[in-house]
Amino acid sequence: MEVEQLPDQVREFAVYLRNLLARLDQDAGWCGIFWQRDPEGMRVCLTGAEVPPWDVVEALLQDLGVGGGSYEAEVESETVRARALHRASLTAFDARPGGRDLLGDRLDVMLREQRYAAERQVELAQLLHTAATREQAEAMRLDLAWARDDHERATARCAELHRRIADLDRRPPPSRPPVPVPQQRPQPAPPEPPGRSEPPKERKRRPRGGARFAGMPDVATPADDTPLPAAVAVQGPLRDFAASPRGARFAGAGEGEATAPPAPQYLDSEARAAITACVGALLRLRAEGRGGEAHGVLVEAAHWPAARFPLLAAELNRVGLGADWATLLWETASLPADLLVAAADALAAAGRTADAQQILRQGVGRPATEIGASVLRLTGEGRHREIRALLDAYVRVRTPEEAARSVRDDPGRLVPLLVEAARGVSDERYWDVVHALRVAGFHA
């Protein structure tokens, strides 16, 4: 985006950021580390093409106060101003067309970074006990410190991205202009023969930036061929995933069907006690800096009965552990298909629609053959609503070519189900999937 095309708030913050850096030693402190680890990320933020995460701005403000004394008071007032400018900039930046999808993609990236950093902490903590020399131990302690910093930053960015998504979802949709009434009755156009419409333009893939800049794209060079993780390389009309009236709230039912997710389930005292104990354990582990053990608690909670998830989400957010809820959602997305759909049902029934959408979108990032195998297993169990939910999300998020690969194990049973799901999304997606199936050699 050209600087003169930037929203005023974004441009104002970019100017502020350049002025802030001009007051710092570019080779020292956090400023020097950011330039060393992600120079391109720094450059795009200084031009206004991107807005840095708040933890980056906060670290640069810490550099400003290294002198102590009167500098500390200056940093305090500067932080208030920077926070206001930063929030206004994010609000304007996210309001651009495609902003909601971009935030979802970046959250996927950041959740991966958070998970990797947590696993890295556990690995390094175990290796530290095996260090043969003092030098090896010191090197491992340094790596462990960086892993902890990476995890803390990833956790903060997950929370920031969740807040931005929630803020965007709360905004009223733009009003549509009134449709002009023609003065004269137009002549009916001749009917067009049925056929496949022009293929939709797919959203450009956004490459990952440095880990410290939350997956910001490298705007200097085109990256259409850059490989991305399955959960990030999302193509197709994701906006329809949230806006489409079809699907009976993730059940994927066609129009006219009365199928809907189960009503919210009431929790007994045992379930409530387990949730209270889980939140208390997480608070204690986070306070003690034991991130790896906290991650283990979240992995265990992901396998709980789905009915517990809404209350657990409310409690985690109430005590300031929103980033842990984001991690739990990521773990839930890797559950078997029937448990994944059950979790989405429970969240949707409790009004947590964005969370339900997120885990379904992330859950169908698994290999195509695994999706096909899950559908076949659910078919054998008569779980038709779960099948519709899974395939509805799948054909919305994955490309038609990927969808076609999911039917290889049993085309006779899988092709009709896939085609039906695509038809429920849109006519355009239906014809794209049919075409992809034919190219792959399957009769649709």
Side-chain angles (χ1 to χ4, degrees):
M1 180 184 293
E2 297 295 334
V3 174
E4 53 269 15
Q5 296 176 331
L6 292 173
D8 291 342
Q9 299 91 332
V10 178
R11 187 186 305 110
E12 183 179 6
F13 182 77
V15 171
Y16 170 82
L17 191 62
R18 290 197 295 270
N19 291 336
L20 174 62
L21 260 68
R23 300 160 63 186
L24 303 177
D25 183 347
Q26 303 293 296
D27 298 321
W30 285 111
C31 186
I33 292 172
F34 292 148
W35 276 119
Q36 180 182 4
R37 297 189 70 174
D38 194 358
E40 188 57 37
M42 290 287 283
R43 279 190 285 269
V44 295
C45 291
L46 292 174
T47 64
E50 291 290 345
V51 181
W54 173 248
D55 69 275
V56 172
V57 182
E58 194 172 36
L60 294 173
L61 289 168
Q62 290 177 12
D63 285 354
L64 190 65
V66 293
S70 61
Y71 284 101
E72 293 182 3
E74 179 185 359
V75 170
E76 188 174 341
S77 62
E78 195 73 25
T79 300
V80 174
R81 181 189 176 205
R83 172 69 85 176
L85 291 173
H86 185 260
R87 285 185 173 175
S89 181
L90 289 180
T91 299
F93 190 86
D94 295 341
R96 301 172 307 157
R100 179 62 172 76
D101 289 346
L102 177 59
L103 287 175
D105 286 354
R106 289 185 177 173
L107 180 58
D108 289 345
V109 173
M110 214 63 250
L111 286 167
R112 285 182 181 273
E113 297 287 353
Q114 184 189 39
R115 184 175 183 177
Y116 171 77
E119 293 170 351
R120 181 67 173 153
Q121 286 184 77
V122 175
E123 177 188 2
L124 288 168
Q126 293 172 345
L127 288 174
L128 187 59
H129 297 294
T130 66
T133 65
R134 187 175 182 178
E135 289 75 14
Q136 288 180 353
E138 287 301 320
M140 288 180 184
R141 287 193 185 94
L142 180 60
D143 288 344
L144 182 58
W146 278 117
R148 286 172 177 161
D149 180 72
D150 287 341
H151 186 265
E152 289 172 2
R153 291 187 184 278
T155 300
R157 290 172 194 182
C158 286
E160 180 178 290
L161 288 165
H162 269 293
R163 180 185 60 78
R164 291 166 66 180
I165 290 172
D167 289 347
L168 203 57
D169 289 344
R170 282 194 292 266
R171 297 179 200 175
S175 57
R176 296 182 178 181
V179 179
V181 179
Q183 298 299 320
Q184 296 181 349
R185 185 176 181 180
Q187 295 296 320
E192 295 182 2
R196 189 167 170 272
S197 60
E198 184 178 349
K201 293 181 179 179
E202 293 186 343
R203 191 158 41 107
K204 275 190 176 182
R205 294 186 178 192
R206 297 181 180 271
R208 288 176 58 176
R212 298 194 166 270
F213 285 86
M216 289 183 177
D218 182 356
V219 297
T221 57
D224 292 348
D225 298 326
T226 303
L228 291 179
V232 183
V234 174
Q235 302 185 30
L238 264 183
R239 58 186 179 280
D240 295 338
F241 189 76
S244 174
R246 306 186 188 190
R249 296 185 74 190
F250 313 114
E255 292 178 359
E257 292 189 33
T259 310
Q265 300 179 32
Y266 294 99
L267 299 177
D268 56 22
S269 57
E270 181 182 352
R272 292 178 179 274
I275 291 171
T276 300
C278 176
V279 174
L282 288 170
L283 283 171
R284 185 181 71 257
L285 292 170
R286 291 301 182 198
E288 296 172 359
R290 295 154 65 184
E293 293 176 63
H295 187 258
V297 172
L298 293 170
V299 171
E300 181 180 353
H303 292 82
W304 279 1
R308 297 183 182 183
F309 283 14
L311 180 57
L312 180 57
E315 287 300 302
L316 287 173
N317 284 284
R318 183 181 65 82
V319 300
L321 295 178
D324 278 337
W325 172 242
T327 301
L328 181 59
L329 284 177
W330 178 260
E331 294 294 340
T332 304
S334 63
L335 294 174
D338 53 341
L339 300 180
L340 169 66
V341 175
D345 280 346
L347 292 169
R352 302 190 71 90
T353 307
D355 289 340
Q357 291 172 353
Q358 178 185 325
I359 62 173
L360 281 174
R361 185 178 69 238
Q362 292 173 344
V364 296
R366 59 194 74 187
T369 53
E370 188 176 332
I371 294 291
S374 297
V375 171
L376 289 173
R377 181 170 56 82
L378 293 171
T379 301
E381 298 171 359
R383 311 280 290 274
H384 302 295
R385 193 182 60 77
E386 286 84 352
I387 292 170
R388 287 193 297 267
L390 187 66
L391 288 180
D392 179 78
Y394 188 60
V395 297
R396 291 176 187 274
V397 171
R398 305 302 290 270
T399 66
E401 293 74 22
E402 290 169 326
R405 289 197 290 271
S406 70
V407 307
R408 289 178 179 173
D409 289 346
D410 193 339
R413 286 197 290 172
L414 291 174
V415 167
L417 293 172
L418 185 67
V419 170
E420 180 185 0
R423 193 193 300 274
V425 173
S426 69
D427 290 340
E428 188 173 53
R429 182 47 57 113
Y430 165 75
W431 286 112
D432 286 343
V433 169
V434 168
H435 176 72
L437 287 168
R438 289 172 178 169
V439 170
F442 302 112
H443 177 68

